[in-house]
Amino acid sequence: MIRKSAFYVLLLLFIYVTTFNIFITGIFKVPAPLIFLAPLLLFDKIKGTPFIYGYQLLVFFMAAVLYKLIGEADIPGFFAVLITVLCFAVFFNYVIANSFQRITIAIAIFYSLLMLSGLLMFIDHQYSIARLRSLLVADDVLQGPSGIATTIFAFGYQMAALTAFLFSAVILFKKNWLFSLLVMLLALSFIFFGMQRSVFIAFGFVAVMLIVFYYRAKSIVVFCALLAIFLVGQNYIGQFSADKKQQNIFNKNETQSGRNEMRGDLMSENIAVITDYPFGLLFYGKNWNDVVQHNFVYKSGTSVITSHNAYLMFITYLGPLLGMVLLLLLYLKVGNIIGRAFRQIHRKENALLISLSCSFIAISINSFFHNEWLLDGSGPTLFLYFSILQLAKISTQKTLVVHK
């Protein structure tokens, strides 16, 4: 009983620190994922499991060397990414292994933590809980209202993953209509009060895609019903936008309309940089500051900002050809798994895999508007990446080994 309890505690702590991007802080003087992974490997490793993530680690290593180490000359960032990726690969390969029970528990913990973060965001709207948030994330919080995250942008990645999963799960697992309605409203509330437009776009994309694949011809009826609901509810939406005291996604659109135009300028100017340096900044011996330091679009006070598009920044450094090849190698296997799952979307045994896939697609779309992504050591993104790979492997096994 003690060993079983210790396993669950260590599992929770490992998923906690990786989900909320807690690495080296004032509390943890060594990489936090290693602290909790080591005893899991020592006492709870499933023996006789061959290592299957050599390909992924090789691609991550090549991409990190070119992008982080050589391109950005970010040595701490390079090692942080490699350590985080390695921890996830080892965790899923040896601790989760071929146990369906363990992976479902890990997934449940992951989304429960995201749910907790979302609920704290609701509280943060009404009361100042910066000290509590700082304690939970083991770092100084910079923005709010938010959940267990230092910035609202990091929180956005959590909500992109959570809301897409909630939406897809209630459809695929076919729960009763009242429960499904409540879950849908909760997901929309996270988007509404989370105030991240990128999350809304990611959620909308995944929702449309899932409805089309799942309902097929009937999706026209579903979209017509949604349109009718939107038209009826327009007046209520207008009331939320008119109330300037309330912080929500509509008020943010009103107050930051100029920022929307700025985001478009950032991306268009980034494309111009790629055009000027078609082989990538890496091969011209330049970095981002060298090529944009005189561009007023990227000036924020005395500092230089990025285009807030993780994929464009990656291609900017490596060039379109090499950058696209490495992106293809990074996403190829997980993309094939997602594609096969969607082609068999009505099979009950695929419900969890497709829900994870929707979550991963949403969080990946979110990276089109911010800097965090797979190669930046994003905890939620990497968890979903490896959980999809591992769950697909488990699903192909004829027998599932259950470890209590």
Side-chain angles (χ1 to χ4, degrees):
M1 180 62 71
I2 295 176
R3 181 171 177 177
K4 187 176 180 179
S5 300
F7 167 74
Y8 288 127
V9 170
L10 289 170
L11 186 66
L12 170 64
L13 292 173
F14 175 80
I15 297 173
Y16 185 94
V17 296
T18 52
T19 298
F20 298 126
N21 296 326
I22 299 172
F23 195 69
I24 295 178
T25 67
I27 298 173
F28 302 105
K29 302 300 182 181
V30 296
L34 287 176
I35 295 174
F36 303 113
L37 179 61
L40 282 171
L41 286 176
L42 186 61
F43 300 109
D44 297 289
K45 174 184 175 182
I46 296 178
K47 297 178 181 179
T49 305
F51 191 72
I52 63 170
Y53 292 117
Y55 165 80
Q56 282 78 17
L57 290 183
L58 178 61
V59 176
F60 270 104
F61 177 76
M62 291 190 301
V65 166
L66 293 172
Y67 180 49
K68 286 286 184 183
L69 189 60
I70 301 177
E72 293 187 329
D74 183 5
I75 297 174
F78 167 74
F79 284 107
V81 168
L82 287 189
I83 291 171
T84 304
V85 172
L86 180 62
C87 285
F88 271 112
V90 170
F91 170 76
F92 277 97
N93 192 91
Y94 293 117
V95 178
I96 300 300
N98 57 352
S99 173
F100 184 73
Q101 183 184 24
R102 285 191 177 188
I103 197 168
T104 51
I105 291 171
I107 290 168
I109 291 173
F110 173 71
Y111 284 108
S112 296
L113 291 174
L114 296 187
M115 183 76 73
L116 173 62
S117 183
L119 295 175
L120 286 174
M121 177 268 296
F122 290 143
I123 298 173
D124 200 36
H125 269 273
Q126 298 298 323
Y127 307 99
S128 177
I129 57 169
R131 286 187 179 181
L132 174 62
R133 289 177 52 217
S134 179
L135 177 65
L136 291 173
V137 81
D139 202 354
D140 294 330
V141 295
L142 305 176
Q143 295 172 318
S146 184
I148 307 176
T150 56
T151 66
I152 57 174
F153 306 112
F155 177 73
Y157 283 86
Q158 300 172 17
M159 292 303 101
L162 177 61
T163 55
F165 181 84
L166 292 176
F167 178 83
S168 55
V170 295
I171 292 176
L172 297 169
F173 286 97
K174 298 180 180 178
K175 299 297 181 181
N176 70 74
W177 70 269
L178 180 59
F179 177 79
S180 299
L181 179 62
L182 292 174
V183 171
M184 294 281 193
L185 290 174
L186 180 62
L188 292 174
S189 297
F190 284 141
I191 296 172
F192 184 76
F193 291 104
M195 301 190 298
Q196 287 292 291
R197 293 179 295 272
S198 58
V199 175
F200 178 72
I201 293 170
F203 176 84
F205 179 89
V206 167
V208 170
M209 180 184 67
L210 184 67
I211 289 170
V212 169
F213 273 91
Y214 190 79
Y215 294 106
R216 296 177 184 173
K218 294 179 182 178
S219 63
I220 297 174
V221 178
V222 176
F223 289 132
C224 287
L226 291 174
L227 179 61
I229 293 171
F230 173 77
L231 292 175
V232 171
Q234 266 190 321
N235 290 332
Y236 296 101
I237 293 174
Q239 290 176 9
F240 283 118
S241 180
D243 186 1
K244 303 302 181 183
K245 294 181 180 180
Q246 190 180 66
Q247 291 180 299
N248 58 62
I249 196 169
F250 297 115
N251 279 343
K252 188 173 182 179
N253 267 330
E254 291 289 330
T255 58
Q256 297 188 7
S257 58
R259 191 168 180 177
N260 292 335
E261 296 177 6
M262 178 185 174
R263 183 61 59 89
D265 291 340
L266 290 174
M267 294 183 184
S268 61
E269 287 295 321
N270 196 164
I271 293 172
V273 171
I274 295 172
T275 304
D276 293 336
Y277 301 91
F279 296 106
L281 299 182
L282 175 71
F283 298 98
Y284 293 91
K286 294 182 179 293
N287 59 36
W288 180 251
N289 283 5
D290 293 334
V291 297
V292 302
Q293 60 180 328
H294 301 299
N295 190 331
F296 73 93
V297 172
Y298 294 110
K299 287 286 187 179
S300 178
T302 58
S303 60
V304 174
I305 61 174
T306 70
S307 65
H308 290 274
N309 184 317
Y311 307 111
L312 275 182
M313 289 300 297
F314 183 70
I315 292 172
T316 300
Y317 271 98
L318 273 64
L321 180 59
L322 181 57
M324 292 302 293
V325 168
L326 284 172
L327 285 175
L328 179 64
L329 293 175
L330 279 170
Y331 288 94
L332 182 61
K333 190 169 183 179
V334 72
N336 285 334
I337 292 170
I338 293 171
R340 287 198 303 269
F342 268 90
R343 286 194 291 271
Q344 302 175 43
I345 195 169
H346 291 283
R347 293 181 61 180
K348 291 182 180 179
E349 56 268 32
N350 280 343
L352 180 58
L353 182 58
I354 294 172
S355 297
L356 288 174
S357 299
C358 289
S359 192
F360 180 72
I361 291 169
I363 204 170
S364 299
I365 290 173
N366 202 63
S367 295
F368 279 100
F369 307 95
H370 301 290
N371 295 319
E372 193 174 314
W373 69 301
L374 272 180
L375 209 63
D376 204 46
S378 170
T381 312
L382 285 167
F383 180 93
L384 290 168
Y385 181 86
F386 282 101
S387 64
I388 290 171
L389 294 174
Q390 195 68 31
L391 182 58
K393 175 182 177 293
I394 294 172
S395 299
T396 57
Q397 309 242 331
K398 292 181 180 179
T399 58
L400 298 175
V401 180
V402 178
H403 293 262
K404 296 183 179 179

